[in-house]
Amino acid sequence: MTAPLTVVLPDAKAVKDMLSGLVGKPVSVTPGAPVTPTDKDPVSV
């Protein structure tokens, strides 16, 4: 059995700035519900 992996994500401002720069338009970023991977529903970030 493998221990769960903890992933540290950038703060909302950093994500907003990056996405804004990529698309060249203003964007809004808001936190969502936590994502918990399961055997049936794996996830990647």
Side-chain angles (χ1 to χ4, degrees), residues 7-29:
V7 178
V8 179
L9 299 175
D11 64 13
K13 182 178 179 334
V15 173
K16 178 182 175 185
D17 292 347
M18 179 195 62
L19 292 174
S20 237
L22 286 171
V23 299
K25 297 182 179 184
V27 298
S28 11
V29 175

